């Protein structure tokens, strides 16, 4: 029987990450990600990755990591969602790191765990677990091809690239600044998780490990990321609920707090129940992933199919119940709605995860 309650270690990790974001990543600072000259948050990421050591949570101690697991990573993702923090934890410490570990890499993973470099897995952020990944072409002349909407590519030092080799899918590493590599930023709805199109033209690369594990490593990375993304969606929803509840208690109309009106009570009560269910789904997905349970793919599909919609609903309710102030640029509600909508499309839509869930439980589409 799994214990889904947060451990003392997980709570201590949460406190450290939350305090850092409160100090270095307040909402007015996050909003500057949308400025013509966006604020540089690389210092925040270095502190989070190296000083707090979260970049190595999923890396074994033998490779310089923390030797923790998906439960601890999920706590970090919750706090990233709660702060809409513009840090590449999902793209570097989860997607790229898990893929490299599965493929047998040690050198790059060790550097990632120490926070010395940042990596990005060169697949579209919309790629869902189970989706076929078409590797780039690679030969003696280098890598060729392009991939659109890659998360974290613009801030990565190392690009982890799926390559279609003669014997199957391979993973290669390429320096972002190498000759023949072009990273072009994409104007996205959520600029706190930057996307970029990545093109290769005869770029030199280094193969990672044997050919065999590459496909499995990529699938594991996408499944782990999908499971943990549910925790970020939970963090978004929880912030929206907590902030909106506090607002309706103190905002007055016609001489009484608007939270005393029955219609407002009903809307927030419904949302409270939804977030409670999302908490259970996200926690179980992280726990099953951490244990390597056979139920992990099913748990991840359930969590993503459910939590993505709850985050959007919570963000929409937050904007609406704040009234006019919720529509302003100065108030941070729009940051959470943008992250929630972006996350709703990341790593597969809810429809895609429901279809995957049907396959996993042997209920194919009619």
């Amino acid at each position: 029987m799994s214990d889904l309650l947060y451990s003392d270690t997980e709570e201590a990790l949460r406190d450290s990450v939350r305090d850092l974001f409160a100090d270095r990543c307040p909402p007015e600072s996050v909003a500057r990600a949308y400025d013509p000259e966006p604020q540089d948050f690389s210092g925040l990421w270095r502190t989070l990755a190296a000083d707090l050591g979260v970049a190595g949570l999923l890396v074994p101690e033998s490779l310089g990591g923390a030797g923790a697991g998906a439960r601890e990573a999920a706590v970090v993702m919750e706090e990233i969602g709660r702060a809409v923090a513009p840090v590449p934890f999902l793209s570097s410490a989860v997607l790229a790191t898990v893929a490299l570990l599965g493929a047998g890499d040690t050198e790059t993973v060790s550097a990632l765990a120490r926070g010395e470099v940042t990596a990005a897995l060169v697949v579209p952020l919309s790629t869902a677990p189970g989706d076929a990944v078409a590797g780039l072409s690679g030969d003696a002349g280098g890598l060729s091809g392009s991939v659109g909407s890659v998360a974290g590519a613009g801030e990565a030092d190392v690009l982890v690239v799926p390559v279609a080799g003669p014997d199957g899918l391979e993973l290669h590493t390429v320096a972002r600044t190498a000759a023949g590599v072009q990273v072009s930023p994409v104007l996205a709805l959520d600029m706190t998780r930057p996307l970029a199109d990545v093109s290769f033209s005869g770029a030199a690369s280094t193969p990672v490990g044997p050919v065999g594990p590459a496909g499995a490593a990529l699938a594991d990375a996408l499944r782990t990321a999908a499971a943990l993304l549910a925790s970020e969606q939970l963090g978004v929803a929880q912030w929206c609920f907590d902030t909106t509840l506090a607002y309706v208690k103190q905002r007055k109309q016609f001489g009484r707090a608007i939270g005393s009106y029955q219609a407002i009570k009903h809307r927030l009560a419904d949302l409270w129940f939804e977030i409670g269910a999302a908490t259970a789904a996200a926690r179980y997905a992280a726990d099953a992933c951490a244990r390597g349970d056979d139920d992990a793919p099913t748990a991840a599909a359930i969590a993503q199919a459910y939590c993505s919609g709850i985050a959007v609903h919570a963000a929409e309710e937050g904007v609406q119940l704040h009234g006019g102030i919720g529509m302003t640029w100065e108030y941070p509600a729009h940051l959470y709605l943008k992250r929630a909508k972006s996350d709703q499309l990341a790593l597969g839509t809810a429809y895609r995860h429901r279809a995957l869930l049907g396959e996993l439980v042997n209920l194919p589409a009619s």
Side-chain angles (χ1 to χ4, degrees):
M1 192 72 178
S2 299
D3 181 2
L4 301 186
L5 298 177
Y6 297 97
S7 68
D8 292 342
T9 301
E10 290 165 354
E11 291 292 5
L13 175 62
R14 179 195 305 282
D15 291 342
S16 297
V17 175
R18 184 175 295 186
D19 288 346
L20 174 65
F21 287 157
D23 181 49
R24 303 272 297 277
C25 189
E28 59 271 18
S29 177
V30 175
R32 297 192 190 108
Y34 294 87
D35 288 349
E37 294 295 331
Q39 180 170 331
D40 182 9
F41 292 97
S42 58
L44 171 66
W45 169 240
R46 283 194 297 271
T47 302
L48 186 67
D51 296 351
L52 295 188
V54 303
L57 285 177
L58 299 179
V59 178
E61 292 182 80
S62 60
L63 296 177
R71 285 177 60 117
E72 291 80 5
V75 169
V76 176
M77 289 291 286
E78 281 185 43
E79 293 308 309
I80 289 173
R82 186 182 286 271
V84 201
V87 294
F89 181 81
L90 178 67
S91 56
S92 181
V94 180
L95 276 167
T97 297
V98 173
L100 288 170
L101 278 171
D105 177 88
T106 57
E107 184 177 350
T108 303
V109 164
S110 294
L112 288 170
R114 294 191 298 269
E116 295 174 356
V117 299
T118 301
L121 182 63
V122 183
V123 297
L125 184 59
S126 60
T127 306
D131 284 357
V133 175
L136 299 180
S137 61
D139 51 33
L143 300 183
S144 299
S146 60
V147 180
S149 300
V150 178
E155 56 219 307
D157 302 296
V158 178
L159 302 176
V160 182
V161 188
V163 176
D167 300 315
L169 194 67
E170 304 172 356
L171 283 182
H172 289 213
T173 56
V174 185
R176 179 180 56 84
T177 56
V181 178
Q182 182 176 0
V183 178
S184 306
V186 172
L187 181 62
L189 172 65
D190 177 18
M191 296 302 289
T192 63
R193 176 165 285 146
L195 304 178
D197 295 335
V198 185
S199 300
F200 300 90
S201 178
S205 64
T206 303
V208 177
V211 174
L218 187 58
D220 187 38
L222 291 169
R223 185 169 54 249
T224 301
L228 295 180
L229 185 63
S231 290
E232 177 176 288
Q233 292 160 342
L234 172 62
V236 169
Q238 192 67 62
W239 183 94
C240 293
F241 175 80
D242 292 343
T243 305
T244 304
L245 179 61
Y247 179 78
V248 300
K249 286 180 178 180
Q250 58 89 23
R251 177 71 169 94
K252 291 186 177 181
Q253 286 272 348
F254 307 109
R256 58 187 285 194
I258 63 174
S260 66
Y261 292 101
Q262 192 173 46
I264 303 296
K265 289 180 179 179
H266 286 177
R267 288 171 69 170
L268 287 173
D270 289 344
L271 187 57
W272 183 81
F273 276 108
E274 290 177 356
I275 292 175
T279 302
R283 285 295 290 168
Y284 183 65
D287 182 70
C289 183
R291 291 183 287 108
D293 195 285
D294 290 342
D295 200 34
T298 301
I302 291 173
Q304 266 305 294
Y306 186 72
C307 293
S308 62
I310 300 306
V312 172
H313 181 210
E316 289 175 341
E317 289 287 66
V319 170
Q320 291 178 20
L321 293 181
H322 274 82
I325 192 176
M327 306 291 180
T328 63
W329 187 264
E330 290 75 17
Y331 198 74
H334 68 97
L335 300 173
Y336 291 84
L337 181 57
K338 289 168 183 172
R339 175 63 68 93
K341 290 299 291 184
S342 175
D343 281 358
Q344 196 175 36
L345 302 177
L347 301 170
T349 62
Y351 175 85
R352 178 69 185 89
H353 286 282
R354 286 193 292 269
L356 178 61
L357 180 60
E359 298 170 9
L360 290 169
V361 300
N362 198 27
L363 287 174
S366 59

